[in-house]
Amino acid sequence: MYLTIIFLFISPILLSLLFLLRKHLSHFSYPNLPPGNAGFPFIGESFSFLSAGRKGHPEKFITDRVHRFSSSVGIFKTHIFGTPTAVVMGASGNKFLFTNENKLVVSWWPESVKKIFPSTVKMNINEGSKKLRTLVTPFLKPEALRRYVGIMDEIASRHFETEWANQDQLIVFPLTKKFTFSIACRLLLSMDDPERVRKLEEPFRMVIVGMFSVPIDLPGTRFSRAIKASRLIRKEVIAIMRMRKEELKARKASAEHDILSHLLMSIGETKDEDVADKIIGLLVGGYDTASIVCTFVVHYLAEYPHVYEHVLQEQKEILKGKQEKEGLRWEDIEKMRFSWNVACEVMRMVPPISGTFREAIDHFSFKGFYIPKGWKLYWSANATHKNPDYFPEPEKFEPNRFEGSGPRPYTYVPFGGGPKMCPGKEYARLEILIFIHHLVKRFKWEKVFPKETKIVFDPLPVPAKGLPIRIFPQS
Ligand code: HEM
């Protein structure tokens, strides 16, 4: 009797496990797949992938497997985020994925992202992102960005005055986030009130943390908090949108007012939720990424005083001939060549986005290996940037690598490449350079923990303690 009950209880579990095992193995039953490991059923090698990131070296997951399976072939198979995946390496792998967008592959995001932004799923994530790109590109081009120099400059000036000046010690990362978020709120939504901006920032933090978590919606989990936070943000953005629609109707605002007005004027009949998700997509894209670069600029300038001096001289040159309160102009930004080399080297050492996924929309072969339709492919900025064939002494911070013609094509990919390349690149460049200008113009600093170099991935790379520094006014 007992045995029958135990059997009835255990058999569904065993059957489910067997089903998962069969499904898992079936993904890997094709001939001539790339070398590599399938890992455990369902979870595959996700823990190794995530734990390499948590230990501060996401590229290690890749370099370990390259040494084990594929030092000469440039591709290996694995199973991460619940799906069989081929990881491609180096310039040839990046080039293959970036130039075959919409031909052999399309962008793919983990299930958690789709659940946090449901309208992207309803519309088909790639169709949605194509529409978003077409609509926002005019706003993110250098011609449009010229208009933002004054606004970003003013926000930077206010930011350093209220948050940095008169402090002896501060933690950099939360402040750089505040800086980039204030700019995004102002340019996208005309939101200027610091208190309102602060209230909106907290749910954004939760959304970003939850985007790369296990997609199980149980109370208290990161994922569940992210879904709640995204609903709250959507509500706030929709309220602003409805107000702006009224203003546009009454001609109190025009398409040039901000990015939201431009979207509303050009998008035609679209549900409020969908427009809101486009705006949120831009806020998410630009929130953490640029602030990570600003944070690590502060870190590396503290580590390398001669680089700091070089940046300072460049910025002082720009200040020469300006009146005391005269702001930055586009022409000044164009002169910040060394400062941009520093930012580029920061993004080589610590790319804010380690890599992204694509999905095979057909079966094909790469480097002689078979890639089945539906498999995911992952390219890695981290592993590419740390390859000594492309960047000799890759652990050395050397901004001069970007002098002259710079790195070879497809070897430097912090913004991705091809049709999916980050549309916010020039916007990010502008805000990072304006940040550097105000920072070195006003301050010197030193790290509170000089030996602390640990980076944690949460989910993007940040200094373990947020980078506490002691600051001193520039003499
Ligand atoms: C230093 C700062 C930034 C870095 C390193 C960065 C990096 C990236 C990367 C690697 C991708 C994926 C590309 C691919 O899959 O091939 C991406 C996509 C994207 N980024 Fe950025 N980004 C930055 C700043 C920004 C800013 C400031 C914005 C908005 C104002 C933005 C908006 C977007 C959007 C909307 C996408 C999705 C594009 C699409 O799906 O077609 N990013 N970014």
Side-chain angles (χ1 to χ4, degrees):
M1 173 70 179
Y2 284 127
L3 277 179
T4 317
I5 292 173
I6 290 170
F7 178 76
L8 284 176
F9 183 71
I10 289 180
S11 54
I13 299 174
L14 278 177
L15 279 175
S16 311
L17 285 176
L18 272 174
F19 172 76
L20 281 177
L21 181 65
R22 238 188 104 199
K23 195 170 167 218
H24 182 73
L25 292 176
S26 73
H27 290 310
F28 296 94
S29 60
Y30 303 93
N32 205 26
L33 290 173
N37 248 342
F40 297 107
F42 191 64
I43 50 172
E45 297 193 293
S46 305
F47 285 125
S48 313
F49 181 81
L50 292 171
S51 110
R54 290 208 183 107
K55 286 180 189 152
H57 298 285
E59 75 280 4
K60 222 177 153 314
F61 175 82
I62 295 174
T63 45
D64 283 356
R65 280 154 188 78
V66 171
H67 290 138
R68 231 186 304 157
F69 305 117
S70 69
S71 44
S72 55
V73 292
I75 181 167
F76 67 84
K77 69 171 179 285
T78 179
H79 192 279
I80 41 180
F81 292 114
T83 171
T85 304
V87 178
V88 301
M89 265 139 335
S92 59
N94 297 341
K95 182 176 178 188
F96 182 83
L97 291 189
F98 297 157
T99 54
N100 278 304
E101 185 74 39
N102 298 324
K103 295 176 201 154
L104 296 176
V105 297
V106 290
S107 253
W108 178 82
W109 294 94
E111 211 46 40
S112 46
V113 176
K114 298 181 201 164
K115 286 197 175 141
I116 293 170
F117 298 109
S119 84
T120 49
V121 186
K122 267 186 268 151
M123 201 193 278
N124 166 334
I125 206 152
N126 284 296
E127 212 181 280
S129 107
K130 222 188 280 171
K131 207 166 174 186
L132 172 67
R133 282 192 86 94
T134 320
L135 287 170
V136 301
T137 305
F139 262 87
L140 301 173
K141 278 189 178 156
E143 304 86 73
L145 290 173
R146 280 169 176 263
R147 293 209 305 269
Y148 305 154
V149 177
I151 300 174
M152 287 191 186
D153 188 39
E154 192 192 305
I155 294 176
S157 177
R158 204 169 56 209
H159 170 81
F160 281 101
E161 185 56 35
T162 53
E163 309 286 348
W164 295 60
N166 306 317
Q167 303 271 4
D168 302 324
Q169 200 167 306
L170 49 82
I171 300 181
V172 177
F173 187 51
L175 291 185
T176 58
K177 283 209 286 192
K178 208 168 182 180
F179 169 68
T180 54
F181 197 62
S182 306
I183 290 183
C185 285
R186 170 68 184 78
L187 292 179
L188 287 155
L189 301 168
S190 298
M191 192 191 273
D192 227 352
D193 173 13
E195 190 46 31
R196 243 179 126 191
V197 172
R198 191 190 60 76
K199 274 199 186 142
L200 197 60
E201 195 189 341
E202 179 53 22
F204 260 95
R205 207 184 51 75
M206 287 185 186
V207 163
I208 288 177
V209 167
M211 269 170 68
F212 298 95
S213 58
V214 183
I216 298 174
D217 188 3
L218 286 176
T221 58
R222 285 176 157 206
F223 183 62
S224 151
R225 282 201 292 265
I227 290 187
K228 270 198 205 118
S230 82
R231 283 191 200 128
L232 203 136
I233 297 168
R234 203 169 292 117
K235 211 169 132 196
E236 173 82 15
V237 172
I238 287 176
I240 299 172
M241 262 171 54
R242 292 194 174 143
M243 203 174 73
R244 187 60 40 73
K245 273 186 183 169
E246 293 302 315
E247 288 169 353
L248 287 167
K249 233 193 256 165
R251 295 187 192 279
K252 286 187 193 153
S254 68
E256 277 73 45
H257 193 78
D258 52 23
I259 300 185
L260 172 65
S261 306
H262 168 76
L263 271 180
L264 289 172
M265 295 292 278
S266 24
I267 206 161
E269 269 308 302
T270 311
K271 276 176 66 186
D272 284 353
E273 284 76 9
D274 294 343
V275 184
D277 273 1
K278 302 277 161 295
I279 289 285
I280 297 169
L282 279 176
L283 283 164
V284 168
Y287 171 52
D288 253 6
T289 46
S291 65
I292 286 166
V293 181
C294 294
T295 302
F296 281 99
V297 164
V298 178
H299 165 87
Y300 282 109
L301 291 187
E303 300 255 302
Y304 296 91
H306 69 284
V307 179
Y308 170 88
E309 274 309 316
H310 196 156
V311 172
L312 180 62
Q313 287 320 314
E314 181 172 84
Q315 298 299 339
K316 274 188 173 166
E317 268 313 299
I318 287 164
L319 284 169
K320 263 189 205 161
K322 271 195 190 293
Q323 306 288 340
E324 203 194 327
K325 294 241 154 119
E326 194 182 326
L328 286 170
R329 284 171 300 139
W330 180 257
E331 293 68 31
D332 300 323
I333 305 292
E334 297 295 278
K335 290 182 194 148
M336 300 183 187
R337 288 202 38 201
F338 184 73
S339 303
W340 183 238
N341 286 351
V342 169
C344 288
E345 180 67 344
V346 165
M347 288 187 274
R348 184 190 69 79
M349 298 287 280
V350 191
I353 295 190
S354 305
T356 61
F357 289 91
R358 300 289 189 266
E359 178 176 340
I361 48 176
D362 204 345
H363 53 254
F364 56 82
S365 94
F366 175 64
K367 298 212 169 183
F369 295 105
Y370 180 68
I371 307 294
K373 183 178 173 182
W375 268 46
K376 310 301 176 276
L377 295 108
Y378 182 77
W379 62 272
S380 162
N382 259 299
T384 312
H385 293 176
K386 295 287 173 77
N387 185 332
D389 294 340
Y390 309 143
F391 299 100
E393 296 187 77
E395 295 304 331
K396 191 171 162 196
F397 186 78
E398 181 46 271
N400 288 329
R401 297 178 198 274
F402 292 87
E403 267 307 302
S405 53
R408 300 204 306 267
Y410 301 103
T411 60
Y412 181 66
V413 285
F415 294 99
K420 301 302 289 184
M421 186 169 177
C422 174
K425 178 180 176 235
E426 291 301 319
Y427 170 114
R429 174 173 166 265
L430 191 58
E431 67 182 342
I432 292 165
L433 288 174
I434 291 176
F435 174 86
I436 295 178
H437 173 80
H438 285 268
L439 174 74
V440 300
K441 174 177 101 173
R442 296 196 59 169
F443 306 105
K444 294 174 188 161
W445 60 94
E446 61 187 24
K447 284 164 63 181
V448 172
F449 305 108
K451 295 213 165 72
E452 176 66 65
T453 52
K454 189 167 181 226
I455 296 174
V456 289
F457 283 71
D458 193 28
L460 304 187
V462 286
K465 295 188 166 72
L467 191 58
I469 55 165
R470 272 185 280 276
I471 54 168
F472 315 98
Q474 193 64 263
S475 43

